[in-house]
Amino acid sequence: MASDDENFDKFLVQVGDDGKFQNRFNLLFNLGAICFTSMTYMSIILALNKPPHNCHVPGMERYNITDLDQWRNLTLPREEDNRGQLGYSKCQMYNVTEDHLARPYSEWSFGESDIIDCAYGYYYDRTYYDRTPITEYDWICDKGFRETNIFVYNRLGELVGTVIFGHLGDTLGRRFVFYVSVLIITAGRLVCMYTAAYYTVFAVASVLGSMSAHAIFQSPLIIAMEISKSERRGHISMVQCIGWTSGLCILPMVFWATKDWFWALMIATLPILIFLLIPSYLIESPRWLATRGNYRAAMKVLRRIATVNGIKELAFDEAVLEKQLSHHKTETIYGIASLFNGWRMTKNTLLVILCWTVCSVTYFTLVLLSSRMDGNPFLNFMYQALIELPAAYLCQKSADRFGRRATNATAFICATVACAILVMIVRDQANESAATFLTTFVKFCVSITFFAVNLQSIEIYPTCLRQTGLAVGAIAATIFGIVGPYVVHLGTEYDVRYPFLVMGLSMGVGVLAALFLPETLHQSLPNTIAEAQNFGKEQRFWALPKAPKKTHDAAEAEEAIRLNVPEQEKN
């Protein structure tokens, strides 16, 4: 007996599984909506960038000193930076009193006992930022963890939101979750803009704006994959990757143009609301509707797809749809617990969790580092984003040729080696160009692994648990990803090697997880928990995936459906 997934695919072929409707849907939601969403989601990282700073010591004008470095040399103690190089202290100054200012500075003499915390505020380098919450409210030095803690709170918000919206996506539908998620992320970011003076309120609003982030990306991706033929799944992920990367490249240019976090956040947030105004273009997944037993609604969506694809009449109706799927009974699911139903599903779930965790921790560590490296933070951010496009293109080609598993594992191995080299060379400023190249290469590899594991997560779970399955990977990644901002803090404040050491060890774990996941290339999406429990059971570890060969009769039957001619008439 054919599986539900295979039966449903036959109906999709007839309405068009790679036509105008799918192209329009991907253009609007997996490209356009994701572009604006990535800007909204990641804007908080650039808004909370910490410009170079030192203590402000008044009195420079009394000596007609115009060289700021000369004044710093007189008034600031030295300390080692994260590369082990001596530089001016960021949070301490010499106790320059009126008695000192009454004498020539050549007579000044300070010892360890004269070092105090900044007493007159701070000087900020405003080359790239005129205003941020950090410069407005001095979230540095004794308040320096405020920025880091907000990133941690955001990850906790993502954790809670992913649990909630992942489950709602499989129970109330992908379309409903998308709309609610857009409203939540927009509200969160807008409240942030007006509450920076109140740290607690700002942090809560920032968390609210991050709660639904994963759901916005997952919902249109899952819908697109569930209405398209299996050969297009890699292409659909590629479209969403282009949307994500486009947003990440536009975002730093917005900040650079405004140099003001308030207006940059406003520009990055409001455009996503456009997609609330075009509800007729966002469908519910007919595959999901069918698994819920709602054949009437599924048939309505299928007719709509067929109409846009230029097919006027269908050779089946609601009764045929229900009859063909009559052996399917809506399964009782218990949220995340259902992902651990049986040994094979449990093993696959745990491996996906490991892959997601390694990818997420490494990716967001690199994103945070990119805007905190020396040089132009906006260009650094954009360069790190641009590298994702060739990575996604290479991953799509490799994943469709050699398989998801081989592609994922190879990228993990390359990133592990690069991190090991970085740990050895990154402290030496003479190796800065090599370190920048290798860091970009690690981002390239991580982007490949993210693309591959996202495909695998969608393809190994049954329809009734697909969004929950994606969510559980994001949940685990968020839990462990909480350490990411602190790792970046250690790297920027203490030793630049720490982030690469953590990333390298994580990537080593990712290699093992990727190798033992089942191959999903050329495999039908499992529709039921029973099918997912057997997924990958017959696969050989060392074999590369091969496309299934169609028999002559099967090819004729498929062609008949594509031409919208019943098989009996064809014969």
Side-chain angles (χ1 to χ4, degrees), residues 407-444:
T407 300
N408 201 10
T410 302
F412 272 130
I413 291 171
C414 293
T416 303
V417 173
C419 285
I421 298 173
L422 278 164
V423 170
M424 294 185 286
I425 72 169
V426 73
R427 290 199 84 187
D428 189 347
Q429 285 189 324
N431 298 322
E432 189 166 351
S433 296
T436 301
F437 172 80
L438 285 173
T439 302
T440 305
F441 178 72
V442 173
K443 181 68 177 299
F444 179 82

Side-chain angles (χ1 to χ4, degrees), residues 351 354-355 357-358 412 416 503-515:
L351 292 175
L354 277 175
C355 286
T357 300
V358 173
F412 272 130
T416 303
M503 287 189 290
L505 294 174
S506 301
M507 289 290 185
V509 175
V511 173
L512 297 176
L515 284 173

